Amino acid sequence: MATGRQLKVYLHPEDRPAVDDYVRELGCVLLRERSAGRASLVTTDSRDGMARLIGLASQVARLEPRFVEARDEWVMSVQSGPLIEWWFSKLDGDQLFPGRFYYLPHDDDPFSKAATGLFKWIRRYAPAVPVEWGPERLGPAAAEMVRAGKISLRRNPPGSRA
């Protein structure tokens, strides 16, 4: 099995619309991980929830969400097909926890091109800046708020011990 690709990043909620826009430029769509209806898995933005999946618009019809009868909902993950998982950075009060982008490589050239393109763009959009424990990638809004002392960064995701 192929090893997944991951990119850790701190994106303030104000940074997300730029990612939404770039996803559309790549010919991709944002998808919910779970939904009451199969047709409502596609969404237009990243304003709510904790995560999104990103997939090529041309491949959405071929994705294979599974129906979870006990919860009466459709569920998708990176195992459902060629998808990128985007876990949002969590803003809890004045602390911003890291988020990440993750995908499993597929033998699918259009998907690989889109995933590589997104990761390259994220690296430019959220450059690495020095923080007390080493370099971390911060989106423009997150970086400005850290500089202004409005928020601080948490090293690990919510629920971790550190």
Side-chain angles (χ1 to χ4, degrees):
M1 177 166 223
T3 303
R5 307 278 192 281
Q6 175 175 282
L7 184 60
K8 178 180 166 188
V9 64
Y10 289 85
L11 296 174
H12 188 274
E14 291 178 16
D15 290 315
R16 289 189 211 156
V19 178
D20 295 351
D21 291 345
Y22 191 75
V23 163
R24 283 188 286 277
E25 283 180 36
L26 282 172
C28 293
V29 293
L30 295 165
L31 301 147
R32 292 180 180 89
E33 292 181 297
R34 55 189 77 244
S35 179
R38 186 181 177 130
S40 59
L41 285 165
V42 176
T43 185
T44 57
D45 59 52
S46 59
R47 281 185 286 190
D48 63 337
M50 297 179 62
R52 288 290 183 269
L53 295 167
I54 300 167
L56 285 168
S58 62
Q59 295 180 344
V60 169
R62 291 185 293 194
L63 294 175
E64 297 179 15
R66 66 186 166 85
F67 184 70
V68 179
E69 196 168 336
R71 294 195 315 240
D72 192 30
E73 66 183 3
W74 291 91
V75 178
M76 282 199 309
S77 70
V78 293
Q79 283 78 30
S80 303
L83 294 166
I84 301 164
E85 179 183 80
W86 175 18
W87 280 97
F88 302 152
S89 301
K90 180 181 179 189
L91 183 61
D92 186 6
D94 65 351
Q95 291 191 320
L96 185 64
F97 291 82
R100 76 171 190 162
F101 291 85
Y102 173 80
Y103 72 96
L104 295 170
H106 285 263
D107 293 331
D108 182 307
D109 194 48
F111 172 75
S112 296
K113 185 176 177 184
T116 301
L118 178 63
F119 273 46
K120 284 180 182 177
W121 182 84
I122 290 291
R123 287 184 185 102
R124 287 190 311 270
Y125 181 70
V129 298
V131 297
E132 62 187 82
W133 55 82
E136 294 285 5
R137 297 192 172 283
L138 276 70
E144 180 54 38
M145 290 181 189
V146 168
R147 275 193 297 277
K150 293 179 181 176
I151 63 172
S152 61
L153 302 180
R154 278 295 302 266
R155 187 174 188 167
N156 295 313
S160 61
R161 294 184 183 166

